Each structure stands twice: as C-alpha cells, then as structure tokens.
Amino acid sequence: MYAIETRKLTKSYGKARGIIDINLRIEEGEVYGFIGPNGAGKSTTIRLLLGLLFPTSGGGTIYGLDIVKDSPEIKKEVGFVPSEIYYYDNMSIKQLMEYSAQFYGVSVNSRLKRLAEAFELDLGRKIEDLSQGNKKKVAIVQSLLHQPRLLILDEPTSGLDPLMRSRFFELLKEENARGATIFFSSHVLSDVEKFCHRVAIIKEGELINEDSVSAIKEKSVSRVTYHLKNGVDTDLIQLQGVISPEINGNRISFLYRGDRIALLKNLSELPIETITIEEPDLEEVFMHYYDDESKEI
C-alpha cells in the first residue's frame, strides 16, 4: 500500500489550466518533492488529495483511503501547510492550537510548548497581530501538533528567515525518522535538492519527469566552462548537444547533453587554459525543462 497513489488524476477548469492524468506512487516514509512554477498545477493537485476539490476524472488514495469518499478519515492522518495562510484573526495562537487539537483528540501542552519555542512564537499573541512569516510558523506548528502520518507542505518555507528554515528542516527530519511521509511542494529548488528522496516535475498541469534528484540531474546535462589562452573558437558551441552557450571574452560556458568522449576529443584540440565540467544544480536542470528550446532534455 502506498502513502499516496493517484491514477490519471485530472481536474479541468474549462479553458483554464488544471491538471491532466497525474499518476503518483509515493511510498510510506518517503520524502517526495513536487516542483514547478506558480500555475503549473501543484496546489490543484494538493487540494484534490485533501478533498478540497473534486476530480473531473481519475482518482487516488491516501493510505488506501479514497481521496473523495474517505476525505474526513484522511484528514485525521494529515498535517497540512498551505501556501497562503488564513486564520480567525481574533484568536490567540494558543486558542487556535487548542481548537485545532480538538479535531485530532490530542493534548497540546508539552508538544505545543516545544514547537512554539523552536519557532520563537508567543502563544498569547493574536493572529491579527502576526506578520506573514509568523503566520507561516503558526501553520507549521499546527501541522505538526498531532504527529501526523503524512505531511503535505505547499510552499512551506515562504516567509521564513534562514534560521527558521533551518529549524523547520530539522523538525521535518525528526518527523521523517519517526516514519512520517512528506509531500513537499515548492519552487525553492535548493530545499528540494537537499531534502527530498525523489522529485517530480510538473509542467502546465502534466508530470514531465519523476526520479531521484541525482538521477534527474545525471540524465540531463553537464555544465562545461573553459578559458582559452588566446582568441575565441566558436566551432565547438555548434556541436550537437551544446545548450545555451555563453561567451564572455575568452571564457566559454554551456550546458551539454551527449557523448562526453566526443566532447573531450573536441576540447583537447583547443588551446585551453582552465576547464571545469560539473553537474548542474537542480535549479539549472529545472529551468531547462521549461525552456521551449530544450524540450528534449
């Protein structure tokens, strides 16, 4: 049984873009990254999983429970951080946590105290007095309060300063070590690269790739940068597999996908002073999935 499984999950908004035939199989205990720019379909997918929207076709399960029929039961197992935070403004943070805990039948005292200290939250403050960053911290604490079996996080680090981001990831690692599955939707690719086991890339409502972070990077491209001793030779950048060449004086840089032996043979014929061939970061790979000139990557 998968923590999350979807089968041709589709949501249509008429002429507006939704999602099309999303097929996911996420193992229990996995940290799964779900990446794409705003409008790609990340939040729509999450709302369908949580029963906040109904699919146009297809379906899915969370721990074997149907995302439509069994939505109330699923919510008991899930901690959710939305991308945009809205609460009852007149409540204090503590009142909100106590209200939330009633739905899960848990006591908030000791765990709430630890989480509030970690995120430097004053439990007596009213929601209406909080900045957006502090509201995001409240949402994170609320999502972790009942030690959920599944955490669904939609842009969870937006609004957090570097210290709070670090503490947030420490807590997520603890939850994952406890056995929690984490579905991490973000466009902050450095977070996904450091934290996730596997990643799916969504483009215009469709999944276009899914694999481990290392495999996606390995299958894609290399970043080649070299300095010539004199002059500039532009013949090499015409080589098949060269993508997005940049020339700055005698410095040439490009992404390359193809036979590295052929590339090295061509490079050996140039008067090169220094050269680096390295694996690009996930952000560079991701951007080329969205480059109309690089659809084959």
Side-chain angles (χ1 to χ4, degrees):
M1 180 175 66
Y2 294 99
I4 298 175
E5 182 177 15
T6 66
R7 300 170 299 279
K8 293 183 176 289
L9 187 63
T10 298
K11 179 64 179 179
S12 174
Y13 295 107
K15 292 183 179 180
R17 183 187 305 137
I19 60 170
I20 304 166
D21 291 342
I22 299 294
N23 294 305
L24 300 173
R25 285 185 172 180
I26 301 172
E27 300 281 354
E28 187 161 2
E30 189 171 10
V31 182
Y32 189 88
F34 195 58
I35 63 176
N38 293 333
K42 302 189 305 296
S43 292
T44 295
T45 303
I46 285 172
R47 290 177 184 133
L48 288 165
L49 292 174
L50 292 170
L52 303 175
L53 293 174
F54 295 105
T56 304
S57 61
T61 57
I62 291 179
Y63 297 112
L65 298 172
D66 185 271
I67 58 173
V68 175
K69 296 177 185 176
D70 302 315
S71 183
E73 286 184 65
I74 287 172
K75 288 182 174 67
K76 296 175 185 177
E77 302 281 2
V78 174
F80 173 47
V81 177
S83 58
E84 297 181 8
I85 311 299
Y86 300 100
Y87 286 127
Y88 298 111
D89 283 348
N90 288 327
M91 279 187 169
S92 68
I93 298 174
K94 186 173 183 181
Q95 288 171 332
L96 175 67
M97 296 301 169
E98 290 172 340
Y99 178 66
S100 177
Q102 292 176 19
F103 292 99
Y104 303 104
V106 297
S107 172
V108 301
N109 293 334
S110 59
R111 185 159 173 82
L112 175 57
K113 182 179 178 182
R114 180 187 172 232
L115 291 170
E117 287 175 353
F119 286 102
E120 299 177 3
L121 286 173
D122 178 354
L123 296 175
R125 290 191 69 186
K126 285 193 172 183
I127 300 297
E128 64 184 353
D129 297 329
L130 301 179
S131 66
Q132 286 302 312
N134 278 323
K135 286 180 180 178
K136 181 57 67 83
K137 290 192 285 185
V138 169
I140 291 169
V141 170
Q142 185 186 33
S143 75
L144 295 169
L145 202 57
H146 58 296
Q147 293 188 298
R149 195 175 174 188
L150 169 65
L151 275 164
I152 295 181
L153 311 173
D154 191 3
E155 303 291 352
T157 59
S158 64
L160 298 183
D161 63 39
L163 176 61
M164 290 299 109
R165 286 161 65 96
S166 177
R167 291 183 184 174
F168 171 63
F169 283 113
E170 287 173 12
L171 285 166
L172 288 188
K173 287 175 183 175
E174 288 179 19
E175 292 301 299
N176 184 235
R178 177 180 60 79
T181 305
I182 300 175
F183 184 89
F184 191 98
S185 174
S186 182
H187 67 265
V188 182
L189 303 180
S190 58
D191 289 346
V192 174
E193 185 170 6
K194 289 184 292 187
F195 184 60
C196 296
H197 302 150
R198 283 194 302 147
V199 61
I201 299 175
I202 186 169
K203 177 181 179 180
E204 297 178 357
E206 299 183 66
L207 287 185
I208 58 172
N209 202 357
E210 179 191 56
D211 213 328
S212 68
V213 172
S214 59
I216 283 180
K217 290 164 67 175
E218 191 175 293
K219 290 176 185 175
S220 54
V221 289
S222 300
R223 165 61 68 183
V224 179
T225 304
Y226 59 91
H227 291 78
L228 294 174
K229 291 178 182 178
N230 50 65
V232 175
D233 189 309
T234 58
D235 290 343
L236 184 61
I237 63 177
Q238 309 301 321
L239 187 70
Q240 185 175 359
V242 170
I243 302 163
S244 302
E246 299 174 5
I247 300 174
N248 184 5
N250 66 344
R251 178 186 180 275
I252 297 176
S253 180
F254 53 81
L255 294 176
Y256 179 77
R257 183 182 183 185
D259 184 346
R260 291 190 182 185
I261 301 299
L263 174 66
L264 290 171
K265 183 179 178 181
N266 281 276
L267 287 167
S268 69
E269 298 173 358
L270 297 176
I272 288 177
E273 191 168 56
T274 62
I275 183 170
T276 59
I277 301 177
E278 57 191 351
E279 188 179 85
D281 61 27
L282 185 60
E283 182 156 7
E284 198 161 31
V285 173
F286 172 81
M287 291 310 296
H288 281 275
Y289 274 105
Y290 275 82
D291 185 342
D292 288 339
E293 295 178 359
S294 306
K295 287 182 178 177
E296 297 303 316
I297 293 177

